[in-house]
Each structure stands twice: as C-alpha cells, then as structure tokens.
Amino acid sequence: MKNLRGQEFFALIYRLFLVFFFYQIARLLFWVFNKNLIKVDGISEYFNLSYYGTAFDTTAILYVNAVFILLSIIPLVINTKKGYQIFLFYWYFITNGIAYSLNFGDMIYYRFSQARLTSAAIEVGKHENNLGRIFWNAVFQHPFVVIWFVVVLFVWIFLYKKVEIKDEKPSNWIVYFVSTIISLCLITTLVVGGIRGDFKHSTRPINLVDANKHVSNPLQANIVLNSVFSFFRTIGTNNFKLVHFVDEKFIDQEIKPYKLYHREVEGKPNVVIFIMESFGKEYSGAFNKNTNVKDFVSYTPFLDSLADQSLIFTNAFANGRQSIHGMSSVLAGIPSLTDAFTSSPYSNQKIQSIVSVCNDMGYDTSFYHGAPNGSMGFQGFGNILGFKHYFGKTEYNKDEDFDGIWAIWDEPFFQYFAKNMGKKQPFLSTLFSASSHDPFKIPEKYNGKFKKGTLQIHEPIQYTDHALKKFFETARKQTWYQNTIFVITADHTNQINYPEYQKAMNRFAIPLLFFSPNPKYHLKGINDRFAQQIDIYPTLADLIGYNKKIRSWGRSLLSDKNEDYMIVNSDAINEQMIIGNYIYIFNGKDVTGIYEKSDLALSNNILSKNLNAEQILGIEKTKAWYQDYMDRVINRKLR
C-alpha cells in the first residue's frame, strides 16, 4: 500500500474535505450575520442554497489549493518526512487562511456594498492611503467577526492534525512513480473540471450569474456564492463586450440615447450639487410620508424642512453601489452595471456630462471633496469630466479638522464650500460629503447632541444634516444664492433598519431634491414618478437652458415631453431595469426574471412563455439599452 501512497492520498482527501466543511461554516455565518438582508424561507431552503453553493466552493477551493494538491502528490520521495509535512501544514493554512478571511470580511462589507466582494475592491483601495486605519477600525467595530474567525481557524487546525502521515519509504520505485503519474493525470482532470464547474467543453466556466439559477430571489445568490470565488473570478475580467440584439433603428426609437430640450431661460442660473455619502431614502422623513413604514423615525430634520420648499422625487433610485458609481451617474449619466464603468479600461475617454455642458455655456466648474486629494478616484474622474477646479483636503489646508480616517469633517468643509465657490458666475459646483461613512463617528463636541437611533449610521446622518443646515445659513448671505439651483441626492444607500428597505430594489432607494430660492424655476412639490441619478444631468441641462443635443440614458424630470423611464442598476450579478409596469432581470444575454413594478422585493418571478405585449417589448428594450450602453462605452461614443 505504501508504494501506492494510500495514506498520502487519504490525508489529501481529508484535508480538502476540511476546506469544504469550513467554507460551509463561513456560508452559514455569513447568512446569520446578514439574515435581515437576505430572506430565506426556513432551514430547508438554506440547505438547498448551501448545496448549490458547493459548486462555487469547489472552484474557489481549487484556485487556492492547486499548488498544495500538487505539492502533496508530486513524487519527491520525501513527501512523508516530518519536515515536509510541516512545510505543507504552513502552506495549507497560510494560503487557505488568507483566502478564507475574505468570507469573514464580507460578513461586514456586504452590509455596505449589498454584493459579494469582487476584484473591484482593488480599484477602490488603490486610491486610499488609509487602508490600515480602515482595517483596524473595522476590527474594533466588529470584534465578534474576528473572534469567530480565530475560533474557526483553531478548530480547523485541531481537526487537520487528527490525521497524520507516518514516514515511510517505497519499496517498489516503479509502482511508486507509475501510480503517482496516473493519480496526477486523474487529479488534474478533476481539478480542471472543478474549477470550470463541469466537464463539458460546450459550456463556459461558471460565473457569478450562474448562482441565480438556483434561487427564488436574486438576493439569495449571495448565499450560494462565496467571497473567494467572486473575488478570484472577477480578477482580470472584462464584462464589457459588444452585443447585438436589435438594429439601430429600434434603439433610436425606443431607447432615445440623445435628448434635446428647448427651454427658454433668462440669465444663467448657478448650479450646486450635493452628493451625500450614504444618505439612503429611509433616513429622511420627507421621502417617507406615503410609505406606511411602521414606527418610522426621521434623522434629517433640516432636509425634511428644506423638502417642504423644494421639488422632491419620492421614488428615486441610485444607479450604482459605490461612491464613484454615484459620481459617474449623477454628473455624467453613466450607470455602473455588473462591472463599474469608472474602473473599466474605457473610463478614460471624452464624456459629455453636466460638467461639459456647463463648460460649453461658459460656467466656472468645480468639485469639492474633503478627503486627501485622489481619494475614491474622484480627482481623476473629475479631470476626465472637465472640472476646472478641484478642492480637497490639500486646498482646505487645516488638518486639525480632519476626522482621522476619511476626510475633513462635513461641517467645516461645508462652510469652506459655501464661502469659496461663486467667485466667478455663473458656476457649477459639486460637493461630495464624507462624514456619514463608516466608522460612523461625529466630532467629539457633538457627543450627546444627536439621538443614537437603531443603526450606527443614524448619528452621523444627523451630524451631516446639521452641517447642511449650517451651509444654507451661510449660503443665504452670499451674492450668488438667489440665482442658484440646488440638487441634493445620495451616492448610494447604506445600513438598513426597516423591512421596506430590505427589499432588493429598495436597496437603491435614495432621496432626490431640487431647490431654488428663486421662484421663477418652479421647483416645488412632491412627485412620486420613478426617477434615478442619471436623470439629474438632463434635468439640469434642461433647467439651465442648454438647447443642444445631449447624450443621455436618463430624461429631464421637468420636461413637458413626459418621456418614458428606464431605471437601471445592478446587484453586481445581474442588471436590473424598471420599464413601464415591470422589473426585468438581465444577465447580459437573456432576461431571467420579470416582476411587477410594485414587487420591489423581487419575490414573484412572473416570467413565462405567455408574455403579454408590454413584456415582450420590455425584454427588447432591456436588450437594446444594454447593447447601446456597451456600444457607446467600448467604442468611445459617450460625447
């Protein structure tokens, strides 16, 4: 038996079994930590999801353990020596430990990203110089995740050591080497098939979208997946590919990628855009008057009071999941799909946007963000959009107001914003806030001033709302104030308290407000039509009287043309589109789900062979929009 290396192969199988077992433990813990965000109907459905997750675990485990497997079976003769087994032990736990930790990190990260970890995190992280502080802050804020990781790892090590390999020397070298070569060929075949997801040459390797084959609700795909798979599978990938579903005539007629407005405007209004970090709709009372959320509490008293004097859209959605996605959506009308446009190979191109439109009209354009210059990729993308000025932590030049992790505290930076802009008119100025961000701290002098709420984010949301109030107190004294249009929205949502906002589509629900002290712009009222971030750019182009053609997938919310809407976003696995009376789930090739517009939880897939006329057209529009998006991004036609 020793010539056939039986104990070595048994030990290898046992050690790989342990990896599979502990990946299931990580999946269970991920669900336990996030079960209020991912609805599962009972333990039997959970076990069904975890069973299908085994295929994705297999791919991830074989990615990480391919070298370990090779080192375990390659005929070196010394394989059974104690020193070599110690070397394998450390190799096994260093590689698996690092990879395994991604699943635990995702227990926390998922609450903010609403998606499994992907390699896009590298793009986000490379713009930051405070990753160490962010990491340790996350550890201190969520110690139980770290404790669970350490406990599980100790149990894993204990079980690993239960099967030991005794030193033995083969007596028949021919049998030893021949059996090893045969085993290598067999194991290599199994590894390749495991990484691909099957052994069929006719199918592509499994990907993130394949997780949706086994779920009743798209959100459950995040249980089927694991973080190691989603991270490794997206490294070096490029989901931007040209497709052809319809002819260009259909796109021109139904998608209408170009808009033209003819509003007559006397004098050019100034424009101020606030992109508020993590300001989900669920935090603001003004946007929840008709949602019937039980025991609702508002954490934005000033924004609520401003909404009474403004035009607000109570059914608005973000077009992305991260801050940089919000910037491209709000300012350039470019949503982020499964892969973010801003981290793609195609982001560095000339882009028509509200910035270029204002530059064309002679505006002075500027962008403000209190973080270290370059953070989040804002400065680089701002340069692509054509901002004439960038004001960050460097320009602010008062480090005593730095929050220690992310940026200048919102209140002082908002004051700087109010006093520094408007030196040339007309102007477009955009501010991206920072304080309502993990680790959800406020300045010490405000400790005890705001109610704690039920979520960590509730206190800093109130602080930023207070900073907004102070901004308007200062702005009212400026000469430019009376002739200015203000837009306030969020980059994306964040922590969730109410069940209404745990629904899949409501993970993107944000406030959208237009305000001007000048009554001639008629910016007052409550509008419950569906709206989105990419509507802001054409709405502002319309409001300031830009009478040239613009490239936009959104539409002016104030045009009398009453244009149809197509709400677009992505859960990082599939694209989601609201068209007319239905929500369509699209995987890049096919529509895999259709839901009633009111079914924001995506709980009842009504896709069937018996489609009505609107659904047939909706599927064609979904594919046509996706085709046009890919064409314009890849072929650099975003001008």
Side-chain angles (χ1 to χ4, degrees):
M1 189 68 176
K2 64 183 179 181
N3 294 318
L4 297 176
R5 307 180 67 187
Q7 67 161 338
E8 294 175 63
F9 287 120
F10 174 78
L12 175 61
I13 293 170
Y14 174 74
R15 290 164 181 174
L16 291 177
F17 166 77
L18 288 179
V19 189
F20 278 93
F21 174 75
F22 283 105
Y23 266 59
Q24 289 292 0
I25 295 296
R27 175 174 286 107
L28 178 61
L29 290 172
F30 173 82
W31 176 58
V32 169
F33 273 87
N34 295 285
K35 62 183 178 181
N36 62 324
L37 299 177
I38 307 175
K39 184 181 178 182
V40 175
D41 293 328
I43 196 70
S44 61
E45 183 174 39
Y46 171 78
F47 278 122
N48 189 53
L49 295 170
S50 62
Y51 166 76
Y52 287 116
T54 304
F56 299 89
D57 293 350
T58 300
T59 298
I61 289 167
L62 293 177
Y63 269 140
V64 176
N65 288 277
V67 174
F68 174 78
I69 293 170
L70 179 64
L71 291 173
S72 296
I73 61 175
I74 192 171
L76 297 176
V77 183
I78 62 170
N79 299 62
T80 61
K81 297 289 185 183
K82 184 177 180 180
Y84 190 79
Q85 287 299 311
I86 291 174
F87 163 72
L88 284 181
F89 169 85
Y90 281 105
W91 183 280
Y92 176 91
F93 277 106
I94 289 173
T95 55
N96 279 299
I98 293 172
Y100 193 60
S101 67
L102 297 180
N103 289 302
F104 283 76
D106 232 4
M107 294 175 194
I108 302 168
Y109 183 68
Y110 180 79
R111 300 180 184 185
F112 307 109
S113 67
Q114 309 296 318
R116 281 285 192 171
L117 180 72
T118 68
S119 60
I122 298 174
E123 286 295 320
V124 176
K126 75 180 184 181
H127 296 292
E128 308 304 326
N129 56 14
N130 58 350
L131 295 180
R133 281 175 291 182
I134 294 170
F135 171 78
W136 287 112
N137 178 74
V139 169
F140 291 133
Q141 278 201 311
H142 306 278
F144 286 105
V145 173
V146 180
I147 292 169
W148 269 108
F149 176 71
V150 173
V151 169
V152 169
L153 206 56
F154 269 107
V155 174
W156 192 346
I157 292 171
F158 172 78
L159 293 175
Y160 179 97
K161 290 183 175 180
K162 283 294 182 180
V163 172
E164 296 182 350
I165 292 179
K166 296 178 181 179
D167 186 15
E168 60 184 14
K169 187 176 180 180
S171 57
N172 188 321
W173 292 105
I174 295 176
V175 173
Y176 177 83
F177 282 107
V178 170
S179 64
T180 299
I181 292 171
I182 293 172
S183 299
L184 269 170
C185 294
L186 177 62
I187 290 172
T188 300
T189 302
L190 292 173
V191 167
V192 171
I195 289 176
R196 285 180 52 84
D198 63 30
F199 294 93
K200 300 175 183 176
H201 290 289
S202 59
T203 57
R204 60 172 174 75
I206 59 171
N207 213 322
L208 274 66
V209 296
D210 293 301
N212 282 86
K213 295 177 181 178
H214 314 296
V215 302
S216 58
N217 185 299
L219 292 176
Q220 293 175 341
N222 293 294
I223 295 178
V224 176
L225 293 167
N226 66 75
S227 307
V228 183
F229 175 89
S230 60
F231 182 82
F232 279 102
R233 205 50 134 195
T234 53
I235 290 177
T237 60
N238 178 13
N239 286 318
F240 289 87
K241 293 180 174 62
L242 293 173
V243 293
H244 184 78
F245 300 116
V246 301
D247 59 34
E248 289 299 318
K249 185 178 179 181
F250 183 88
I251 291 174
D252 292 338
Q253 290 177 345
E254 299 294 341
I255 306 304
K256 299 180 175 66
Y258 290 97
K259 308 293 192 297
L260 181 62
Y261 303 106
H262 299 285
R263 186 185 301 267
E264 295 294 329
V265 177
E266 291 185 16
K268 298 175 182 176
N270 306 305
V271 176
V272 173
I273 302 172
F274 279 91
I275 305 177
M276 306 293 278
E277 173 65 52
S278 299
F279 256 60
K281 173 186 168 183
E282 80 158 277
Y283 311 135
S284 301
F287 295 87
N288 282 275
K289 290 180 178 178
N290 297 317
T291 53
N292 298 316
V293 174
K294 185 179 179 181
D295 300 323
F296 181 83
V297 177
S298 177
Y299 297 95
T300 59
F302 174 73
L303 187 63
D304 294 345
S305 66
L306 185 65
D308 291 336
Q309 310 167 50
S310 307
L311 173 62
I312 67 171
F313 291 85
T314 57
N315 284 305
F317 296 89
N319 298 111
R321 306 171 303 280
Q322 297 176 359
S323 296
I324 190 66
H325 303 174
M327 184 178 177
S328 67
S329 299
V330 170
L331 300 178
I334 304 174
S336 285
L337 305 185
T338 302
D339 286 351
F341 163 74
T342 46
S343 58
S344 75
Y346 310 104
S347 60
N348 190 18
Q349 60 176 290
K350 286 190 175 182
I351 300 170
Q352 190 186 49
S353 65
I354 189 57
V355 184
S356 68
V357 163
C358 284
N359 284 338
D360 190 32
M361 294 181 69
Y363 278 63
D364 191 49
T365 55
S366 56
F367 186 87
Y368 290 73
H369 184 229
N373 293 36
S375 177
M376 301 283 191
F378 290 160
Q379 188 170 21
F381 191 62
N383 288 338
I384 291 172
L385 295 183
F387 279 110
K388 296 175 181 176
H389 314 286
Y390 183 92
F391 298 95
K393 179 173 177 284
T394 300
E395 289 73 20
Y396 182 79
N397 198 28
K398 286 178 65 177
D399 286 354
E400 60 267 29
D401 293 331
F402 184 58
D403 66 10
I405 293 183
W406 285 112
I408 303 300
W409 291 111
D410 278 348
E411 184 181 6
F413 198 73
F414 283 21
Q415 290 298 304
Y416 173 69
F417 182 50
K419 295 173 182 176
N420 194 58
M421 65 176 161
K423 293 174 181 176
K424 292 182 180 179
Q425 297 185 50
F427 66 87
L428 162 74
S429 287
T430 299
L431 180 138
F432 209 117
S433 75
S435 295
S436 46
H437 194 296
D438 181 86
F440 305 124
K441 294 180 178 179
I442 61 173
E444 289 185 9
K445 69 177 183 178
Y446 285 113
N447 286 341
K449 177 177 174 61
F450 307 114
K451 52 193 174 189
K452 288 291 184 180
T454 55
L455 299 173
Q456 292 174 298
I457 197 172
H458 285 157
E459 196 173 20
I461 284 287
Q462 293 168 86
Y463 166 69
T464 296
D465 181 74
H466 172 75
L468 194 62
K469 176 183 177 182
K470 292 294 185 182
F471 164 84
F472 274 94
E473 288 176 359
T474 300
R476 289 188 188 102
K477 301 172 185 176
Q478 310 305 314
T479 57
W480 48 260
Y481 178 76
Q482 190 62 26
N483 190 40
T484 299
I485 294 170
F486 297 86
V487 181
I488 300 176
T489 191
D491 57 345
H492 53 73
T493 61
N494 206 300
Q495 294 181 328
I496 299 170
N497 182 37
Y498 303 110
E500 177 67 22
Y501 291 97
Q502 291 169 4
K503 295 177 178 178
M505 296 305 295
N506 270 347
R507 304 284 178 84
F508 296 88
I510 58 171
L512 177 54
L513 175 152
F514 292 84
F515 165 74
S516 179
N518 194 328
K520 76 176 184 178
Y521 298 115
H522 306 292
L523 297 176
K524 283 193 177 182
I526 300 174
N527 195 309
D528 62 0
R529 286 186 299 159
F530 278 18
Q532 58 192 325
Q533 288 171 329
I534 64 172
D535 293 331
I536 293 173
Y537 153 43
T539 301
L540 287 174
D542 181 15
L543 270 174
I544 64 177
Y546 190 72
N547 300 142
K548 300 178 185 177
K549 186 170 66 173
I550 62 171
R551 185 272 319 148
S552 173
W553 291 299
R555 87 283 196 201
S556 171
L557 298 170
L558 299 174
S559 170
D560 56 10
K561 294 181 179 180
N562 196 26
E563 299 164 288
D564 294 335
Y565 60 78
M566 291 183 67
I567 307 299
V568 180
N569 51 44
S570 172
D571 64 1
I573 300 174
N574 292 296
E575 325 307 348
Q576 305 171 151
M577 302 189 192
I578 307 177
I579 306 172
N581 294 306
Y582 299 98
I583 302 170
Y584 300 85
I585 306 301
F586 182 64
N587 66 9
K589 292 183 178 179
D590 301 297
V591 168
T592 59
I594 300 178
Y595 302 82
E596 297 283 353
K597 183 176 69 173
S598 58
D599 184 10
L600 297 176
L602 305 182
S603 57
N604 182 28
N605 189 347
I606 59 174
L607 178 64
S608 68
K609 293 181 180 179
N610 300 316
L611 300 173
N612 63 38
E614 182 182 350
Q615 292 167 346
I616 293 171
L617 179 60
I619 290 174
E620 289 299 295
K621 282 187 175 183
T622 297
K623 293 181 175 181
W625 186 94
Y626 187 83
Q627 175 180 320
D628 190 58
Y629 179 91
M630 290 297 168
D631 175 40
R632 294 187 184 282
V633 169
I634 294 171
N635 290 322
R636 301 181 181 274
K637 297 191 293 186
L638 292 173
R639 286 189 270 183

